[in-house]
Amino acid sequence: MSTLPIITLPAQASSSDGCEGTSTGSLEVATLNSDDLAAAASGDSASDVVKTQAGTALSPDEQGAPGQRDHNGKLYIETVGCQMNMLDSELVVAALRREGYELTSQPDDADTILFNTCSVREHAEHKIYSALGRLKHARKQRPQQVIGVMGCMAQKDQSLIFDRAPHVDIVVGTGQMAEIPGLIKNARKDRERALAVSLDRKAGTRREVSASFQSYDPLREPEMRPSPYQAFVRIMFGCDKFCTYCVVPMTRGPEQSRLPSEILAEVAHLAGQGVKEVTLLGQTVNSYKCVENGKTWRLSDLLAAMHETPGMLRFKFVTSYPRDMTDDLLMALRDLPKCSHYIHVPLQHGCDDVLSRMKRGYTTAHYREMHQRIKEYLPHSAVSSDFIVGFCGETEESHQKSLEAIREYRFKNSFIFKYSERPGTKAQSLFRDDIPDDVKKRRNQELLELQNEISEEDNAAFIGREVEVLVEGPSKNAIKKADSSLKEQLTGRTRCDRIVVFDGNPRLAGSLAQVVVHDVTPTTLVGSILTREVQHGSSSLLPILV
Ligand code: SAM
Ligand code: SF4
């Protein structure tokens, strides 16, 4: 397996003017091209490429007792983007905690600051560069501080991040998360900046590039999860679809499916930690395919095998790709009672011309056929979508077709994005980003309003009905109020992923409860608990105290 190049660069001199966005003057910032990276990956490193001993774990002893350390052990981490990023942050925090770090919610308190970044839209990157800008002066007062940028923006912008924010110490791509503890330690000790990224997609053979996006999923950190009862499990890395607007195939590398044995072991481990619901992650999660010990595993096989895990109550998966919605998967969802009947399968646009320019690989007719099959196998399932408005060449007429699609499919919800041109994508080289921002905003608003109307109408059909809810814990409102009363507002989700709020005992978190719905909003069902449990030796259903 090819090893990854870790490039160390001289740290920013504290006397530097540190001008944002300008070059670092006398500093030798290595410009990494594909040849450097390929050479380093094949072990034939160029002379200006320094490979470090990154990734060697520090024991708490090496890390030093709090009084002996050269830093305060406090870690601040900010995560932008999707569930993949949330999971990556969880894994990085787990690794750092093992080395004695503790989390803080205040960047001012922390001697170690990490940004886990997203490159899908330009706006997400601006937010990170602004946050980095705000740290520039504080960093000068804190010589022991280490600032790191990790994730998609790190893989995409690489040493440009040092140019734009010279006070950043480490830049770590999506495939090098396991190196972070060692890189932080070295950066603090040697005051050398380090860049650890994977190969560009064209910088080696598929095998070399894939190997440079290392798997990093064994560690888990319950505190970083949305709730102690829910966890993400990555079953695939990367993407090979190359939709023309999207940077993900570049920032997350080639599509790779993880071994089923590893995934099942991780699910069992999570069940042992008390997790009740697992969400399987992949950019095109239903394209999962892996051969192990001569057997070919697809997503349906994985679901059937993990369904046997004692203690687990529910399984979901995101994000699905329309062309890979096979019958075996829909049958598995129909036949396995722990599987959520919720499918996030983005249409992206309602017009065939736009879908073709997006190179999505399907037409609206394909999507319709897939949607019909979902409803045949799972009549009560909920389907949700993503849409992009204002993609290159989108006419008023084609925009109307996205509105019609929302009416036709009555999605449970849709995530709607204004097109953001991304460097390095096919759309950037082939098409002009020709839709003015005010038009994008209006079209975004139109889709959103229609989707909200439909969501509220469809939610209203639940009024008076009893739904089974996997209770997640106190609702956001209850957390804000920090009310210590026994009964508080709880939140959970139905089997088709509708959010439900109701008053109840927080002890119900992590269990299934029956709730009767009496009011709705576009996003939420509001109900009262009817939880009953079966008394052993009797068929009667008893109410439990709530
Ligand atoms: N793999 C998933 C799929 O194909 O549906 C989506 C992953 S992407 C991180 C999440 C969503 O961001 C996409 O579904 C798309 O709607 C949106 N997106 C991606 N690139 C975008 C861009 N350049 N501008 C605006 N939205 C974008
Ligand atoms: Fe991006 Fe398309 Fe891959 Fe989704 S399927 S991650 S939108 S390239």
Side-chain angles (χ1 to χ4, degrees), residues 120-121 245 248 283 319 346 348 360 386 388 417-420 422:
V120 169
R121 285 169 295 278
Y245 51 80
V248 171
Q283 293 301 341
T319 297
Q348 305 293 0
R360 280 292 285 178
D386 293 351
I388 296 179
F417 305 104
K418 289 187 294 165
Y419 172 60
S420 166
R422 304 288 47 223

Side-chain angles (χ1 to χ4, degrees), residues 167-312:
H167 50 295
V168 168
D169 300 282
I170 59 171
V171 169
V172 187
T174 53
Q176 286 69 36
M177 300 284 177
E179 315 289 346
I180 285 178
L183 290 168
I184 292 174
K185 179 190 152 217
N186 291 348
R188 193 148 17 234
K189 184 159 68 71
D190 307 331
R191 293 319 319 175
E192 275 191 333
R193 296 189 301 190
L195 173 67
V197 289
S198 300
L199 298 178
D200 288 347
R201 291 271 325 218
K202 290 188 182 145
T205 62
R206 182 178 175 89
R207 183 177 263 228
E208 286 164 347
V209 177
S210 297
S212 77
F213 282 86
Q214 284 178 344
S215 151
Y216 179 46
D217 286 57
L219 301 166
R220 307 304 310 231
E221 180 52 51
E223 248 192 59
M224 286 297 289
R225 292 194 197 128
S227 96
Y229 308 104
Q230 298 169 292
F232 297 122
V233 170
R234 185 174 358 230
I235 64 168
M236 294 174 77
F237 298 91
C239 183
D240 284 344
K241 297 286 190 275
F242 286 97
C243 303
T244 56
Y245 51 80
C246 186
V247 286
V248 171
M250 277 74 83
T251 61
R252 294 230 168 234
E255 181 180 301
Q256 305 181 64
S257 292
R258 286 180 71 205
L259 287 174
S261 56
E262 273 179 24
I263 296 168
L264 295 173
E266 199 171 325
V267 170
H269 176 71
L270 288 165
Q273 291 184 342
V275 169
K276 303 290 178 193
E277 178 190 85
V278 157
T279 304
L280 305 176
L281 298 183
Q283 293 301 341
T284 55
V285 70
N286 56 336
S287 319
Y288 177 87
K289 193 173 176 190
C290 189
V291 180
E292 190 174 30
N293 299 328
K295 177 184 167 182
T296 302
W297 290 69
R298 306 187 48 114
L299 180 55
S300 54
D301 303 304
L302 264 188
L303 287 168
M306 61 182 60
H307 203 262
E308 303 304 311
T309 316
M312 280 292 172

Side-chain angles (χ1 to χ4, degrees), residues 130-189:
S130 307
L132 289 172
R134 287 194 294 277
L135 291 174
K136 188 171 66 179
H137 296 294
R139 172 75 173 74
K140 282 187 186 151
Q141 316 300 320
R142 266 181 125 116
Q144 74 283 17
Q145 192 175 56
V146 171
I147 299 177
V149 175
M150 60 193 234
C152 290
M153 199 177 106
Q155 180 62 37
K156 174 180 153 285
D157 284 359
Q158 305 196 357
S159 58
L160 181 69
I161 295 174
F162 294 131
D163 297 345
R164 291 186 62 174
H167 50 295
V168 168
D169 300 282
I170 59 171
V171 169
V172 187
T174 53
Q176 286 69 36
M177 300 284 177
E179 315 289 346
I180 285 178
L183 290 168
I184 292 174
K185 179 190 152 217
N186 291 348
R188 193 148 17 234
K189 184 159 68 71

